[in-house]
Amino acid sequence: MSAAILVLVEHLKGTLADITFEMLGVGRQIAAAQGGQVHAVLLGKDVNALAARLGAADSVLLADEPNLEQPSAEVIVPLLQQLMAQKQASLVLLGGTNASFGLGGQLSARMKVPFVNFCKGARVEGGSLVLTSQLFGGKILSDVKLADGKGIVSVYPGAFPAEAGRSDKTPPVEKVAVPPGSPKVVFKRFVEPDTSDVDITKQSVLVAVGRGIQSQDNVQLAEELAQSLGGVVCASRPVIDQGWLPLSRQVGKSGMTVKPRLYLAFGISGAPEHWDGMQSSECIISVNTDPKAPIFDGSHYGVVGDAVELIPLLTDRIKAKKG
Ligand SMILES: Cc1cc2nc3c(=O)[nH]c(=O)nc-3n(C[C@H](O)[C@H](O)[C@H](O)COP(=O)(O)OP(=O)(O)OC[C@H]3O[C@@H](n4cnc5c(N)ncnc54)[C@H](O)[C@@H]3O)c2cc1C
């Protein structure tokens, strides 16, 4: 079957994101196996210069308008729907990123085609496209065969080589118009992350606290332990959401990815969204009152106990050792 593939280009402040090249690479791989063209869909404000860098695509479908700075799903989904019909596209590749979160489900419902999320692999077998989808934060990999090859696919960042989607060729550019409408969600301004805080991605020792730390006052106990170890305190999302620590200290899918030599996790259950951000730590030691807490499954060492009681004891022991 040979039908077109659409790739939604991701970019921020004039720079194309790596996920764009990953998607173009996998799009090319699928097109090579089953025929069809790959179209990059580029929309934004003052973005036409970026089109020249999308040479891995057979063409760039460009919507460059002043009101398209950070367009919302209300704008992007109808455009993709329109382009799928115009180009007779069977597949739409979206980044599995915060920028494209929420688009796939809507487009799939509108087009009445399946949505494959967290796609980490793609191959053509006996003429059918088989996609590998990651479930439960990586515990299960599931192969999905798209009936008649149609679907919306959210591509997991880092799963495919970006190099495969880079090319020096200059692609033809076709201007496209965004369907008219009055979106309710409108971009106002960028809020830059606070860079005055410490960078938790560069620390070799992290003392992480979760909801099990129970109160803001107890976060101070973790601060003292981190100081005694020459490390820094970070946290799971509930701690950040309560305002007990700044956003710059959040570890996980919607926070930072860290790789310290030592990750001490106190009162953290080990939800996939947290695990995603700290699983590459060299040594993970977890303390949790629940012996069945999922965090123990991936930890190098585990202690069943009360974090609030254990942290000060540990701090005292380390201080005493240091003399
Ligand atoms: C789109 C999305 C993105 C997300 N992004 C992130 C992210 O970036 N980072 C993140 O962390 N989460 C993220 N989450 C939330 C995630 O799903 C979990 O809800 C969160 O990680 C749970 O945090 P927690 O482990 O601190 O809390 P809980 O899951 O409530 O776990 C608390 C743990 O503390 C233990 N406990 C209780 N009292 C004590 C005690 N005295 N001593 C020791 N242990 C104790 C409990 O047994 C329990 O295991 C995201 C969710 C979604 C949907």
Side-chain angles (χ1 to χ4, degrees):
M1 147 163 206
S2 70
I5 299 170
L6 302 183
V7 170
L8 180 66
V9 173
E10 282 198 18
H11 56 88
L12 187 66
K13 298 184 174 177
T15 304
L16 291 165
D18 271 357
I19 186 71
T20 296
F21 298 108
E22 290 180 39
M23 290 189 286
L24 285 172
V26 75
R28 281 263 66 98
Q29 176 200 326
I30 297 167
Q34 56 180 26
Q37 296 218 309
V38 178
H39 304 287
V41 180
L42 173 59
L43 68 162
K45 177 184 169 222
D46 300 330
V47 291
N48 60 353
L50 295 178
R53 298 193 45 219
L54 300 169
D58 295 298
S59 83
V60 177
L61 308 177
L62 172 70
D64 190 342
E65 295 173 22
N67 60 353
L68 287 181
E69 187 169 13
Q70 298 298 312
S72 68
E74 291 169 279
V75 176
I76 302 171
V77 171
L79 174 67
L80 289 174
Q81 190 178 5
Q82 175 182 287
L83 294 175
M84 279 185 84
Q86 277 173 12
K87 298 292 171 190
Q88 297 190 326
S90 57
L91 276 185
V92 177
L93 305 185
L94 304 167
T97 60
N98 286 340
S100 296
F101 229 62
L103 299 177
Q106 288 190 44
L107 188 58
S108 148
R110 279 177 178 242
M111 296 302 293
K112 298 191 173 34
V113 293
F115 175 38
V116 181
N117 211 347
F118 303 114
C119 175
K120 293 189 100 170
R123 62 186 191 277
V124 175
E125 249 176 31
S128 298
L129 178 61
V130 180
L131 300 162
T132 304
S133 170
Q134 170 182 294
L135 306 176
F136 299 106
K139 290 203 173 104
I140 296 175
L141 292 176
S142 162
D143 277 354
V144 183
K145 200 182 270 184
L146 290 176
D148 68 16
K150 287 189 180 163
I152 313 299
V153 182
S154 172
V155 175
Y156 197 93
F160 297 93
E163 277 320 301
R166 297 188 205 273
S167 164
D168 293 335
K169 286 190 206 152
T170 306
V173 177
E174 182 185 333
K175 291 206 171 154
V176 294
V178 170
S182 314
K184 293 188 191 78
V185 179
V186 179
F187 171 75
K188 291 270 187 200
R189 68 187 169 96
F190 276 108
V191 180
E192 299 288 352
D194 179 7
T195 50
S196 59
D197 195 19
V198 286
D199 183 350
I200 59 170
T201 66
K202 301 215 164 81
Q203 305 300 318
S204 60
V205 176
L206 286 173
V207 176
V209 289
R211 208 193 309 258
I213 199 70
Q214 294 173 7
S215 74
Q216 186 162 19
D217 288 347
N218 290 340
V219 176
Q220 185 52 35
L221 300 176
E223 291 281 3
E224 284 161 24
L225 174 60
Q227 268 174 29
S228 73
L229 289 165
V232 159
V233 172
C234 61
S236 66
R237 184 157 150 178
V239 171
I240 307 298
D241 285 349
Q242 307 212 49
W244 296 349
L245 281 167
L247 185 58
S248 48
R249 303 291 181 103
Q250 182 176 320
V251 172
K253 204 180 200 74
S254 48
M256 300 292 191
T257 300
V258 296
K259 285 184 193 171
R261 292 188 60 201
L262 175 63
Y263 193 85
L264 286 161
F266 290 100
I268 295 179
S269 60
E273 293 84 4
H274 185 80
W275 189 250
D276 239 38
M278 42 67 80
Q279 60 186 326
S280 303
S281 305
E282 273 179 46
C283 178
I284 300 168
I285 305 177
S286 302
V287 177
N288 199 300
T289 44
D290 177 3
K292 293 196 173 127
I295 191 118
F296 287 138
D297 295 344
S299 298
H300 300 95
Y301 301 94
V303 179
V304 177
D306 186 330
V308 182
E309 279 177 17
L310 269 173
I311 294 173
L313 294 176
L314 207 51
T315 310
D316 286 348
R317 203 50 95 77
I318 289 161
K319 281 183 179 165
K321 271 231 151 178
K322 281 180 162 177

